[in-house]
Amino acid sequence: MAEFSHINQRGEANMVDVSGKTQTVREARAEAYVRMSPETLAKILAGDHHKGDVFSVARIAGIQAAKQTSSLIPLCHPLMLSKVAVDFSAEPAHNRVRIESLCKLTGQTGVEMEALTAVSVAALTLFDMCKAVDPGMVIEGIRVLEKQGGKTGHWLAEDKQ
């Protein structure tokens, strides 16, 4: 297993120097789920939620969050993202909404943290907009699905291979 890169030789937190890395196209996808009551999901899908189109607001929140990741996560590099997408799919059989993000750039460091931040904040926004009618919602399954680019190349979550 590789060494932790954010710890220096004295065991102190350290921002990794990426200046020597080659610029490559880098991409990451992440997902999260928001489990809720069937009634809440039905309201969202019917457009009957009293706060309006919750998916549009949560999408914008996720995109904004990806762009602000370096302000939220210590030691993260500020990145010039070339693409951020946040998509939602209802899964009525499981009483949940699946959120997936895609972050992309050409640069010297990966975009996994941006993809994770996008789905996390989109899920939090969905929760915030629906908590008055369903305070028992659960945010779960936040993870990286895939990453591409850089020295390590292509990585895919084991259950997606």
Side-chain angles (χ1 to χ4, degrees):
M1 180 183 263
E3 295 294 318
F4 290 115
S5 59
H6 287 82
I7 306 294
N8 68 16
Q9 293 176 341
R10 295 186 302 272
E12 302 163 334
N14 177 51
M15 187 171 186
V16 175
D17 181 359
V18 297
S19 60
K21 288 182 158 187
T22 304
Q23 286 210 6
T24 62
V25 174
R26 294 163 186 264
E27 186 176 301
R29 290 185 311 113
E31 73 178 352
Y33 293 89
V34 181
R35 195 165 22 98
M36 61 192 66
S37 72
E39 296 79 20
T40 302
L41 184 56
K43 278 182 178 287
I44 292 169
L45 295 177
D48 291 341
H49 196 281
H50 69 281
K51 289 193 175 182
D53 184 353
V54 297
F55 289 159
S56 290
V57 175
R59 177 177 289 111
I60 292 168
I63 292 168
Q64 294 275 104
K67 293 166 41 177
Q68 295 298 316
T69 300
S70 67
S71 298
L72 300 168
I73 309 293
L75 309 179
C76 255
H77 293 86
L79 301 179
M80 290 295 297
L81 296 167
S82 57
K83 171 79 175 163
V84 179
V86 177
D87 294 304
F88 301 87
S89 54
E91 297 183 352
H94 300 289
N95 298 318
R96 67 186 186 184
V97 172
R98 180 177 181 270
I99 306 166
E100 183 174 328
S101 69
L102 166 69
C103 292
K104 188 174 180 180
L105 60 66
T106 299
Q108 296 167 295
T109 190
V111 290
E112 297 91 343
M113 293 310 300
E114 288 71 16
L116 287 165
T117 301
V119 295
S120 298
V121 172
L124 289 168
T125 302
L126 196 66
F127 187 100
D128 182 50
M129 294 187 75
C130 298
K131 69 183 184 284
V133 294
D134 191 356
M137 290 176 291
V138 175
I139 297 171
E140 57 194 7
I142 298 170
R143 69 179 181 148
V144 174
L145 295 171
E146 181 177 17
K147 72 168 253 10
Q148 295 186 60
K151 187 169 66 174
T152 57
H154 187 222
W155 177 89
L156 192 61
E158 198 171 292
D159 63 326
K160 298 295 180 184
Q161 295 178 14

